[in-house]
Amino acid sequence: MNIILLGPPGAGKGTQAHRLEQQRGMVQLSTGDMLRHAVAAGTPIGLKAKAVMAAGELVSDAIVSALIGERLDTSVDKGAIFDGFPRTQHQAEALDLLLADRARKLDHVIELDVNEEALVDRITGRFSCANCGAGYHDRFKLPRVENTCDVCSAHEFHRRPDDNEQTVRTRMAEYRAKTAPILPYYRERGLVRAVEGMASVDEVARQIDAILDGAPALPF
Ligand code: ADP
Ligand code: ADP
Ligand code: ZN
């Protein structure tokens, strides 16, 4: 099973991808995480991507498609969760080729349906565990014990430099201009399933599970 989680910044893609990894052994392929690692390691890709990411603009299609291709060659036997990729029509076509070359296919494109204004609050309150990457929120998901990760008990947390209101607005605009327009490409193939992304984390999880477990698509 290979799925795409599609939605604007803050829609809940990473939160749901982490859960699916833990519960189903699927593998999250997040181009955002891959790029952040490249920036932290100071690789040639990281050096190119750093300023683009800080501005909230999109890194080149060639770079992110190559990153995904490399990761698809490692073990993703129980399925891949594409999180934050594809973000352009060109990337969507590149993904089709990468999957076809490996005799894999796309099973679902899960569209997280959200209200953009509420997402600014989600993103400016977001932080994550510096050790295991578990995601938290100042208001919606605080660690159960103050300053202690629920998953690994670490005490260090991290906030992304691009999670500020101004950059978020640019990221939303990029989503509207370049990413939302790829939905028809997948709709034509009957792959798109919408989920109510403004519901609670558990309710969104329940809706995604119903899709993965084969609930029939509602006619629209
Ligand atoms: P994305 O990967 O799509 O950018 P995240 O999964 O990182 O989004 O979620 C953004 C922030 O919103 C995080 O702080 C997360 O804890 C919180 N969050 C995720 N899903 C929900 C939800 N359904 N309701 C409320 N807050 C959520
Ligand atoms: P979010 O889902 O919270 O917006 P990501 O972690 O997916 O954030 O992406 C962070 C930044 O990394 C983006 O704003 C963009 O600069 C870059 N990026 C990530 N994935 C891609 C992609 N597929 N194509 C182009 N740029 C990307
Ligand atoms: Zn942790």
Side-chain angles (χ1 to χ4, degrees), residues 65-199:
S65 302
L67 287 173
I68 285 283
E70 281 168 27
R71 286 297 305 276
L72 273 178
D73 290 328
T74 65
S75 77
V76 285
D77 304 343
K78 296 204 173 137
I81 308 157
F82 296 98
D83 163 6
F85 179 91
R87 262 176 156 93
T88 64
Q89 179 69 29
H90 191 278
Q91 291 177 25
E93 289 167 17
L95 178 59
D96 282 341
L97 293 176
L98 288 168
L99 289 171
D101 278 350
R102 291 160 180 79
R104 289 172 163 270
K105 72 173 178 49
L106 211 48
D107 294 281
H108 301 289
V109 176
I110 298 182
E111 177 190 7
L112 294 163
D113 204 356
V114 284
N115 159 0
E116 268 193 29
E117 275 312 306
L119 295 188
V120 176
D121 279 350
R122 276 202 195 169
I123 289 187
T124 52
R126 165 162 70 183
F127 62 100
S128 62
C129 172
N131 180 50
C132 75
Y136 296 95
H137 191 279
D138 290 326
R139 283 192 287 141
F140 308 134
K141 193 180 188 296
L142 281 167
R144 285 193 291 268
V145 177
E146 196 179 339
N147 209 37
T148 306
C149 177
D150 295 351
V151 179
C152 75
S153 303
H155 299 297
E156 265 189 65
F157 295 89
H158 171 77
R159 287 179 194 265
R160 282 168 47 178
D162 59 341
D163 278 353
N164 60 77
E165 177 159 0
Q166 195 192 342
T167 305
V168 169
R169 300 266 175 215
T170 306
R171 285 155 60 196
M172 302 271 184
E174 290 281 73
Y175 180 82
R176 249 179 274 123
K178 295 171 186 161
T179 308
I182 67 183
L183 276 161
Y185 177 72
Y186 291 122
R187 261 196 208 107
E188 275 169 22
R189 286 150 61 183
L191 290 175
V192 178
R193 303 288 300 269
V195 156
E196 174 49 52
M198 295 317 295

